[in-house]
Amino acid sequence: MKRIVFFLFAATMLSACRVSPEAELEMRVENTLAQMTLDEKISVIHAQSKFSSPGVPRLGVPELWTMDGPHGVRPETLWDEWASALWTSDSCTAYPVLTCLAASWDKELSGLYGRSVGEEARYRKKNVLLGPGLNIYRTPLCGRNFEYMGEDPFLAGKMSVPYIQGIQSNNVAACVKHFALNNQEFKRHRYNVNIDDRTLYEIYLPAFRMAVQEGGAWSVMSSYNLYQNQWVSHNRRLLTEILKDEWGFDGAVLSDWGAVHETDGAAQSGLDLEFGTGTNGVDVNIENAYDYYYLAKPYKEKILSGELPESDLDEKVRRVLRLNFRTQLGGNWGSMCSPEHFAHCRKIGSEGVVLLKNEGSVLPMRADAGKIVVLGENAIRPMVVGGSSSSLKTKYEITVLEGIRNAYPEAEVIYERAYQGEPKVTGNYNYSLYDLTDPRSDEKLLEDALVAVKDADYVIFVGGLNKNKQQDCEGRDRLSYDLPYGQNEVISALATVRPDMIYVNMSGTAVAMPFADKVASIVQAWYLGSETGNALADVLTGKVNPSGKLPFTFPYMMEDGPVRTPAQYPGIEGEDDMWQVDYSEGIYVGYRWYEANNIKPRFPFGFGLSYTTFEYGQMKASSKTMKERLTIQVPVTNTGKVAGAEVVQLYIQDVEASVDRPVKELKGFEKIYLEPGQTKTVEFVIDQSSLSFFDAARHEWVAEPGEFKALVAASSEDVRGEVLFTLK
């Protein structure tokens, strides 16, 4: 009764004072914290199950429920195990992977994605959706590249902001991961990153900073790896000094599952909520005694003995309560598997598809095609499952073959396997018994395919990677830059018979394409979720004009890239299976590296073709000198015959600097939609942050006075105009 009276009194006072929502939230947090016992404080900072942490029943504080994203809401698991709970009501809409979203370069579309997946999390009564992933694409071998937003920190950060805001508009917290320097899966629990401060601040932190300061993320997940020979979940410099003190983050830091290793480090680093201790995060199902988590009884005993201060515990509880109340108060009911959500999935997928080659204008396909041959295992393989934590149980999944048949109901659409990869599909949800075994030999598969394609109007080969281990999958990196299962040889053989073949590459990362000059068209299709086949067919048929642009560079071969030595990747093994990984390439990641070293990639960063053409007009600057900001304008015209969208990219070049700087760096982008003959003017605002580098000695961002160039481009290689200006 006293508690009820207290809250009624508090509510009355809040109403009378008409305080802001933020002030009301803080009063609720402090009032609740003041009434909590030590045991109750300890209970809310560690898990009680695989995906939840306790509330405070005595004070009416509910449990906090998390769930894997970022591409949809993971199906329910057993309380203490990773195995499926076998519910019949937890199917979801599976959205395209975040690499596809980044390839759309469309901030408005990112907001739609966030709102939609947030509605599904809200409907499933989840407080925290574990995403987006913002780790930088450093090597194409990283198993989780498909979950991230590419090689450029500006693109990744700006695309994350509306996604986060969209999720949180449903009172579901985004949990930005994996903070920080988790750029490979090989030995992810056992490698230490050696990196200089300038590289850390210019390449690997900006996307996270934007997510926190511009996106307003309510939670952040600490990564598995080590930095400065200290696990990140115990790393005070990253979690407290940078994230909380420098950036002003007021949310809660969650550990990745199984990322905590001892009590003192976790208690004093800035970690707020411990999950997954007692497992390696993915494979091992061990019944955990939650009271013996590092931030449970062991922490309580150290507080009672005076070894650790209770004030640090209070700060953790304060942040966890703030996260809890933000996700409990207000919000809508959400929705699940609605027609609108599947429509959003299809739109996001089609807008992220990238047309890389279209020799002879083979695409778009004619509407009167009589015979179409679809080849390749990925045309029939479910791609929503697999990938480990991002594996989903979708209500349905349209395969590529089904999508082509939907688009051509009157045509003869023939399927031939052409090659066989792994016959089993990973994931233990509704695909656990899915078997793609084919009794034919490899030779017979290719022979049958060669016969089938001879008289077809169109030949579409759907290849690439899949989401099984050591391809695009959490916990394992790829073994090679080449395509698996002998696809290079199969595609080359088919191309000798049908050089007009359309190659569709499904992957979340770059792959070798030694056959690229032998095929007419190349389409980068990613993993497109529930509406995969329909979204891809929309692009192939011209129902949707492709407008995606690459969020990372495709080199000809691994040796062309910045990560070349064992010390850089996978690292050098030391004592006790601890590995040292040197980020000795420094700030030269992705296109920065290729331009600085005059290495031509197969497909550059920001590249993508269209079924129409765009002409850039004369660039104009608001002034030739800049003090605080400068405005750049450029008119863009659709000079083709069909409507389409162009991604206009702004790069900045420091003409003469006191430090080594990249040739140019992305500092702005806008996606515009134009009817044939239509012109729109794109405007960019440049401020000093667009011109700055990080001075590690002074620990501050510096914009040196002098000359700069603003470059407007259709890709990192395709500069369409430039203006010179001076920073005063």
Side-chain angles (χ1 to χ4, degrees):
M1 179 61 72
K2 288 181 179 179
R3 180 167 58 88
I4 294 173
V5 170
F6 172 81
F7 279 113
L8 286 173
F9 173 75
T12 302
M13 292 299 293
L14 289 171
S15 177
C17 297
R18 294 183 180 179
V19 298
S20 67
E22 294 79 10
E24 180 179 354
L25 173 68
E26 294 308 311
M27 290 178 67
R28 289 180 183 274
V29 168
E30 295 303 327
N31 288 337
T32 305
L33 177 60
Q35 298 178 80
M36 292 174 67
T37 66
L38 178 60
D39 284 334
E40 288 168 339
K41 293 177 185 179
I42 289 290
S43 71
V44 301
I45 65 166
H46 65 82
Q48 65 174 2
S49 73
K50 276 288 183 279
F51 283 102
S52 71
S53 61
V56 186
R58 182 179 67 86
L59 299 177
V61 179
E63 298 171 328
L64 189 74
W65 280 88
T66 70
M67 186 50 72
D68 274 315
H71 311 128
V73 187
R74 181 176 178 158
E76 300 297 329
T77 64
L78 297 175
W79 186 266
D80 271 319
E81 299 178 23
W82 293 106
S84 171
L86 300 179
W87 285 19
T88 58
S89 59
D90 59 349
S91 296
C92 71
T93 306
Y95 291 88
V97 294
L98 288 191
T99 316
C100 174
L101 177 63
S104 76
W105 293 64
D106 190 326
K107 288 169 275 195
E108 185 176 337
L109 199 67
S110 178
L112 176 69
Y113 191 133
R115 289 191 300 277
S116 300
V117 75
E119 287 171 357
E120 301 226 343
R122 181 73 182 182
Y123 183 86
R124 286 270 300 279
K125 298 180 172 59
K126 305 305 177 188
N127 305 95
V128 182
L129 190 68
L130 304 177
L134 295 181
N135 297 101
I136 293 298
Y137 182 114
R138 180 173 176 256
T139 167
L141 300 185
C142 176
R144 296 187 88 165
N145 281 337
F146 71 99
E147 292 187 53
Y148 304 144
M149 294 208 199
E151 71 188 27
D152 185 80
F154 185 87
L155 174 64
K158 291 298 182 184
M159 286 297 291
S160 77
V161 168
Y163 174 96
I164 291 165
Q165 293 171 339
I167 288 176
Q168 294 184 171
S169 68
N170 294 281
N171 287 84
V172 174
C175 186
V176 180
K177 63 184 187 183
H178 306 88
F179 187 71
L181 301 169
N182 183 182
N183 306 106
Q184 66 187 61
E185 291 296 284
F186 178 80
K187 294 293 180 181
R188 62 180 179 168
H189 293 267
R190 309 295 296 175
Y191 75 85
N192 175 67
V193 173
N194 299 305
I195 185 172
D196 65 273
D197 267 11
R198 183 183 173 196
T199 302
L200 176 70
Y201 273 81
E202 289 193 17
I203 302 296
Y204 297 99
L205 293 185
F208 289 103
R209 178 180 54 78
M210 291 181 210
V212 168
Q213 294 185 334
E214 297 178 32
W218 292 342
S219 61
V220 168
M221 181 188 291
S222 61
S223 57
Y224 284 129
N225 53 283
L226 295 87
Y227 164 62
Q228 296 183 335
N229 292 302
Q230 188 177 57
W231 276 288
V232 172
S233 290
H234 306 171
N235 198 293
R236 184 172 179 81
R237 185 177 187 219
L238 284 175
L239 302 186
T240 295
E241 294 174 10
I242 294 176
L243 177 62
K244 294 180 176 179
D245 293 346
E246 288 187 22
W247 298 351
F249 175 64
D250 69 353
V253 178
L254 285 60
S255 74
D256 204 343
W257 272 235
V260 182
H261 299 268
E262 49 96 7
T263 297
D264 284 17
Q268 299 176 86
S269 65
L271 181 70
D272 301 309
L273 187 49
E274 177 186 6
F275 278 101
T277 298
T279 80
N280 72 353
V282 177
D283 301 314
V284 181
N285 295 330
I286 300 175
E287 186 174 351
N288 298 295
Y290 296 100
D291 284 344
Y292 291 92
Y293 269 33
Y294 295 111
L295 291 183
K297 282 188 176 180
Y299 188 21
K300 175 186 172 182
E301 291 168 0
K302 286 181 176 286
I303 289 173
L304 291 174
S305 69
E307 294 178 64
L308 294 173
E310 190 171 352
S311 58
D312 286 351
L313 171 61
D314 286 346
E315 179 59 19
K316 297 179 192 300
V317 174
R318 186 175 285 114
R319 289 174 176 272
V320 172
L321 289 175
R322 188 179 293 126
L323 171 63
N324 195 316
F325 293 161
R326 278 172 167 163
T327 63
Q328 302 287 359
L329 303 175
N332 55 36
W333 292 101
S335 59
M336 197 81 180
C337 293
S338 67
E340 292 80 9
H341 286 179
F342 288 114
H344 297 164
C345 172
R346 185 170 180 169
K347 178 176 176 61
I348 295 163
S350 64
E351 296 235 0
V353 168
V354 185
L355 179 60
L356 296 175
K357 183 181 180 182
N358 195 24
E359 200 170 80
S361 298
V362 172
L363 294 174
M365 296 166 62
R366 300 189 316 273
D368 61 353
K371 180 181 178 181
I372 301 169
V373 177
V374 180
L375 306 159
E377 182 176 283
N378 283 359
I380 62 169
R381 186 182 186 89
M383 289 293 192
V384 166
V385 290
S388 195
S389 66
S390 70
S391 187
L392 298 170
K393 183 171 79 174
T394 184
K395 186 175 181 180
Y396 65 81
E397 180 178 359
I398 305 296
T399 66
V400 175
L401 180 61
E402 291 170 332
I404 298 296
R405 285 177 171 160
N406 291 341
Y408 288 93
E410 305 300 323
E412 181 186 11
V413 180
I414 296 172
Y415 174 71
E416 281 293 341
R417 185 75 173 257
Y419 74 94
Q420 179 168 252
E422 297 160 83
K424 299 291 185 180
V425 177
T426 60
N428 62 348
Y429 309 132
N430 51 345
Y431 297 107
S432 58
L433 300 179
Y434 205 107
D435 193 340
L436 299 176
T437 302
D438 194 305
R440 291 174 290 177
S441 67
D442 291 345
E443 293 77 12
K444 181 61 174 172
L445 288 168
L446 179 55
E447 179 186 330
D448 290 348
L450 288 168
V451 171
V453 302
K454 288 183 178 179
D455 61 344
D457 293 315
Y458 287 101
V459 178
I460 307 169
F461 188 101
V462 187
L465 308 178
N466 59 50
K467 292 171 69 180
N468 277 5
K469 291 181 178 178
Q470 294 182 321
Q471 295 205 38
D472 277 329
C473 185
E474 177 194 3
R476 303 288 191 279
D477 284 344
R478 294 167 61 192
L479 299 178
S480 169
Y481 187 53
D482 287 322
L483 291 176
Y485 318 128
Q487 289 178 78
N488 289 343
E489 292 75 21
V490 171
I491 296 167
S492 295
L494 288 162
T496 61
V497 177
R498 293 302 301 260
D500 60 343
M501 186 168 68
I502 301 161
Y503 173 64
V504 175
N505 187 68
M506 299 186 75
S507 73
T509 188
V511 299
M513 293 185 184
F515 50 81
D517 294 336
K518 301 176 183 179
V519 298
S521 295
I522 300 175
V523 177
Q524 177 62 32
W526 319 107
Y527 307 114
L528 303 181
S530 298
E531 287 282 337
T532 290
N534 290 334
L536 179 60
D538 286 345
V539 173
L540 296 181
T541 61
K543 182 178 180 180
V544 171
N545 190 346
S547 60
K549 302 268 190 171
L550 290 177
F552 51 77
T553 307
F554 269 71
Y556 282 90
M557 50 189 174
M558 273 288 295
E559 293 74 15
D560 290 342
V563 178
R564 296 178 161 196
T565 69
Q568 291 174 290
Y569 176 86
I572 304 299
E573 184 178 7
E575 296 181 1
D576 301 322
D577 193 34
M578 295 299 294
W579 292 64
Q580 298 294 323
V581 180
D582 295 338
Y583 283 36
S584 54
E585 70 278 6
I587 60 173
Y588 290 98
V589 175
Y591 68 90
R592 293 166 170 81
W593 164 267
Y594 296 98
E595 293 182 347
N597 292 278
N598 291 314
I599 298 173
K600 185 173 179 59
R602 187 178 291 282
F603 301 114
F605 173 79
F607 174 75
L609 301 174
S610 171
Y611 296 150
T612 189
T613 53
F614 300 97
E615 183 178 289
Y616 288 56
Q618 183 67 39
M619 286 179 64
K620 294 181 181 179
S622 58
S623 174
K624 292 183 178 181
T625 60
M626 171 180 161
K627 291 185 177 180
E628 295 183 356
R629 57 182 52 84
L630 190 71
T631 300
I632 299 291
Q633 292 183 328
V634 60
V636 180
T637 303
N638 181 346
T639 55
K641 297 180 180 180
V642 295
E646 172 70 333
V647 177
V648 184
Q649 302 160 41
L650 174 73
Y651 296 84
I652 295 295
Q653 181 182 78
D654 192 342
V655 176
E656 185 177 355
S658 64
V659 298
D660 193 26
R661 300 198 71 176
V663 174
K664 60 180 181 290
E665 296 182 279
L666 182 72
K667 294 299 178 182
F669 60 92
E670 292 295 335
K671 191 169 192 175
I672 55 170
Y673 294 82
L674 298 169
E675 295 294 327
Q678 185 181 13
T679 299
K680 288 184 180 178
T681 298
V682 179
E683 183 173 289
F684 298 103
V685 177
I686 301 170
D687 59 21
Q688 290 198 19
S689 68
S690 306
L691 315 181
S692 300
F693 63 88
F694 187 77
D695 187 323
R698 296 159 60 179
H699 196 77
E700 64 183 20
W701 290 89
V702 174
E704 293 180 330
E707 289 189 333
F708 291 83
K709 283 183 182 179
L711 310 168
V712 170
S715 78
S716 60
E717 280 191 353
D718 187 6
V719 175
R720 301 292 184 92
E722 64 180 55
V723 293
L724 188 69
F725 65 93
T726 302
L727 175 65
K728 291 290 186 180

